[in-house]
Structures are given as structure tokens and as C-alpha cells.
Amino acid sequence: MTVWDDLVGQERVSEQLAAAARDADAFVTAAASDAPPPEASRMTHAWLFTGPPGAGRNQAARAFAAALQCVSPDRALGGVPGCGFCDGCHTALVGTHADVSTVAAVGAEILVKDMRDTVRKSFTAPANGRWQVILVEDAERLNEKSANAVLKAVEEPAPRTVWLLCAPSVEDVLPTIRSRCRHLVLSTPSVDAVADMLVRREGIEPDVAASVARATQGHVDRARRLATDPAARARRASVLKLPQRVEDVGGALRAAQELVDAAAEDAKQLAEEMDGKETEDLKAALGAAQGGRLPRGTAGVVKDLEDMQKRRRTRTQRDSLDVALADLTSFYRDVLALQLGSRIALANTDAEDALERLARSSTPESTLRRIEAIAACGEALDRNVAPLLAVEAMTMALRAG
């Protein structure tokens, strides 16, 4: 199983990255033997991966990082870098490779202080003699200062440094940064491709795999989570009942409160799993005895960690609400398809009775207004409107139609 097997429905992108990894490997091999370096036209120092949510931008970038760090002996016999089994591939894929640094947004933005150490590291030589890889998972969340820090590093990179930036679209990245990157566009995988992956890789029953692949419309990560996590399926079922609960003002407001509470509970569970261990590990690293006081001058470091954890809880709550909004949008999309007599397959076949009932009792115009209200809720959350206010406005709009 190679590193490219995780890229569902992205054969063209896999071929391009595999070719670049071969050229990169030839460059490293030539440098190690003091031979003249070959022309590596398919390899470059900065890459931009774009595509819709669920297409696998981060997976593609991490697979490429693993291929660049591949140390399989089969390469000398003509094997393609990215075997998936060697130490270089394995540690890059699981996030523990010394020369693969990952930056992801903890809160709404990637702050310059989150990038400072990574940018500094990008100018150092790789520890294992191959490549220093910097993977930025949420490049669209770089703010002005952190984006400028990345720009300076991408403009004049070290000889063995590779930047991998991931964003939904090319417009989400500064023109000055994207002009220095090789751009790869990923597409939404087909429902059949996602279902096939779930059967082969996760051992999911074919009918269940097909159902969750349809429900998520090709979103690989969400399909995998729905197929393997009963709690995720329960949350989705609850969200799909929301359109039937907004018939009166009280019902609409209660539904909004429950949706926000569920998202907050998700964030709380993640915090309980991660925050305590992170805090104890940091205190131990700073030299504090078990249950004892922190050494003088280290309180600021702990405060920085607490601030990061708070931003992560906010981001987790927002991500949970985003999933709920996507499920609601797909519900009303199915309603609209029924109203217009479209031949497209329904995504939410498990809620077909509710879909048909709403399709008969409303008009296509009202369904479109409801879809617009869901989009407006997402935009309000992007502007940092209080989640409860944004969701209440949405549920009231769903009630009005």
C-alpha cells in the first residue's frame, strides 16, 4: 500500500506528485554521490493544494511529504518513492517525522507567533539529509502578519526546503504567495469512489458505505467518521429532524439552542481529552513537581498554552456547527430536487419521508430561501457573530420559509 492509496478519486494529482517525488529523489541521490544534479523540472520548492472540503487537500500534501522522505531500498531498484512502509513514510504520515512540520489553525486565524518557529526552522538543513517539509493545513487562515512571514520564507527558501500550502481555493491565498507556488487542484471524489474506499480500507459493509458516501456527497473524512462513529450518526440524525421542529417560534428557538449546545459539547469533550494532558506534560517539561508549583518565570508559558486551548475549543465548536449546516443544506437540496422533479440521486435517503412531506407542503422558492438562510448563518459565524444568535436567526428564517 503506497502513500497515494489514501487519495480517493485523485488519480491525476497522484501522478503529478509521484513524478515530482521521483525527480526530488533523483536530486537527493545525485547530491549524496557528488554527481551533477539532474534537471528536476517537476519538482519545486512550494506547492499549493486547493479543492472543496473533503477532497483530501491535507491528505495529498501529507502523502507528498511522505514520498519526499521515503527511504525504502526499493527506490534503488526503480521503485517509486512513497512506499508507505519505510520509517520515512510512516513517521511523515503519522506526524512524528523530525523534518516534517505541520501548522494548522488552532482558532479562527494562524497567528504570526504560531508561524515564527516554523519559519525559522524552514531555513535549517534537514536532519536526515533529505528534505525539510513545511505543511500549512489552513493557509486560508493566515492573517496579514503570518502570511507575510510565510511569503518571505517562500521567496528565498533554503535549498532543501519544501512548502506545502492547503486552502479551499486559490483566491484564499495572497497573490504574492500563490504566484510562487505550483498549483494542484483536487476535485470532489465520486460517491462510488468514497464507498469503495470505505469497503476496502475500513471494512465497512457495502450498503452502509454507499449510504454514508451519498449522505456526505463525496466528503472523505466525514464519510469515514459517519461509517465508524455511532455518535456522529446520531448527531446527523438529530440535525436532519430540525426542519420538522421549526413550525413555531418556540420550537425554532429550542432547536437553535440544542444545536449550539451539541457543538459546545463536542468542543468540551475534545478539551477534556487533550487539555489536561497537554498542561501536565508542559508543567513536567518546565520542571514542576507533581502537583507542585511552577518554577519562577514560567507562568507566561502556561498562560500561552491556556490561550491556545481556548482558541481550539472555539474552533472545534465552529467546525461542529459547519458540519450541521452542511447536513441541513443537503437536506433542503434534496427537497428542492424533489420539487423540481430532478433526476439526481437523493443524499438523505434515510429521511425520505420527511423530504417528500416538506416538498409537498412548500414551494421551490421557499426552499431556496431556506438554503440561503443556512449560508447566511455560516457567513455570520465567519464574522464572529455569537453562535446562538446566528443559529437562532437561521432557524427563524427556516420557519418563515
Side-chain angles (χ1 to χ4, degrees):
M1 183 185 70
T2 69
V3 297
W4 315 112
D5 290 343
D6 279 337
L7 307 190
V8 182
Q10 310 295 343
E11 289 77 11
R12 180 181 57 82
V13 170
S14 297
E15 291 172 2
Q16 290 178 277
L17 293 175
R22 285 195 297 270
D23 286 346
D25 187 60
F27 180 86
V28 172
T29 302
S33 60
D34 293 327
E39 184 178 350
S41 60
R42 289 170 293 188
M43 182 60 189
T44 187
H45 72 285
W47 298 75
L48 174 60
F49 298 80
T50 66
R57 301 184 302 264
N58 296 339
Q59 290 87 341
R62 190 163 292 282
F64 187 39
L68 293 176
Q69 307 293 7
C70 182
V71 293
S72 169
D74 292 342
R75 295 177 298 111
L77 303 175
V80 177
C83 65
F85 294 102
C86 70
D87 183 66
C89 286
H90 176 71
T91 53
L93 290 173
V94 301
T96 59
H97 196 288
D99 293 326
V100 179
S101 302
T102 303
V103 179
V106 176
E109 295 180 328
I110 297 179
L111 306 178
V112 68
K113 67 179 182 180
D114 299 329
M115 288 298 308
R116 193 171 289 124
D117 289 341
T118 303
V119 169
R120 189 179 299 115
K121 184 179 180 182
S122 74
F123 291 105
T124 64
N128 68 357
R130 294 190 64 80
W131 298 94
Q132 187 75 262
V133 181
I134 311 297
L135 170 56
V136 183
E137 293 188 344
D138 307 286
E140 76 279 9
R141 294 181 182 270
L142 290 165
N143 63 21
E144 182 180 357
K145 291 183 178 179
S146 56
N148 286 334
V150 171
L151 174 60
K152 291 177 182 177
V154 172
E155 281 180 326
E156 299 178 0
R160 291 285 187 85
T161 294
V162 181
W163 283 83
L164 309 178
L165 309 178
C166 303
S169 72
V170 69
E171 289 78 16
D172 292 319
V173 181
L174 280 179
T176 47
I177 292 179
R178 67 189 189 223
S179 66
R180 290 164 172 80
C181 298
R182 184 163 298 167
H183 184 202
L184 293 180
V185 182
L186 284 76
S187 57
T188 300
S190 68
V191 169
D192 290 341
V194 175
D196 179 65
M197 179 275 296
L198 291 173
V199 173
R200 288 187 296 105
R201 301 293 300 276
E202 306 292 340
I204 305 300
E205 291 296 324
D207 55 339
V208 176
S211 176
V212 298
R214 272 196 310 273
T216 57
Q217 292 294 286
H219 194 300
V220 178
D221 290 338
R222 289 186 57 210
R224 182 183 286 113
R225 187 175 183 188
L226 274 182
T228 58
D229 185 359
R233 292 196 293 273
R235 283 194 294 272
R236 175 178 173 272
S238 176
V239 169
L240 294 184
K241 292 177 182 177
L242 186 146
Q244 306 167 55
R245 301 177 53 205
V246 295
E247 296 179 355
D248 57 72
V249 173
L253 296 179
R254 283 193 298 273
Q257 183 69 64
E258 290 173 12
L259 196 60
V260 173
D261 287 347
E265 184 62 26
D266 275 353
K268 180 182 176 182
Q269 288 180 2
L270 178 65
E272 290 175 349
E273 293 171 6
M274 300 179 67
D275 290 3
K277 184 177 185 304
E278 286 177 344
T279 302
E280 290 304 319
D281 288 348
L282 178 62
K283 288 181 177 179
L286 293 174
Q290 184 70 28
R293 298 181 62 182
L294 286 168
R296 186 183 300 275
T298 61
V301 180
V302 176
K303 179 65 165 57
D304 288 343
L305 175 63
E306 291 171 348
D307 290 342
M308 182 277 289
Q309 291 170 340
K310 183 178 179 180
R311 287 190 287 138
R312 184 172 60 201
R313 284 194 292 272
T314 301
R315 171 75 187 274
T316 303
Q317 182 179 9
R318 171 62 204 277
D319 288 346
S320 182
L321 286 173
D322 281 344
V323 171
L325 297 183
D327 287 335
L328 278 175
T329 301
S330 73
F331 180 93
Y332 284 109
R333 164 205 173 268
D334 285 349
V335 171
L336 187 62
L338 291 174
Q339 290 171 329
L340 298 178
S342 173
R343 295 179 179 272
I344 64 172
L346 298 181
N348 302 284
T349 53
D350 49 344
E352 195 163 354
D353 289 344
L355 293 172
E356 292 179 349
R357 188 160 55 249
L358 189 54
R360 289 193 300 267
S361 63
S362 61
T363 65
E365 292 78 11
S366 65
T367 302
L368 283 171
R369 286 194 294 270
R370 285 168 171 144
I371 293 174
E372 290 171 355
I374 299 170
C377 179
E379 293 170 0
L381 292 171
D382 281 338
R383 298 193 302 271
N384 292 322
V385 173
L388 184 57
L389 291 178
V391 176
E392 284 180 344
M394 179 191 72
T395 56
M396 293 298 289
L398 295 180
R399 172 182 174 273

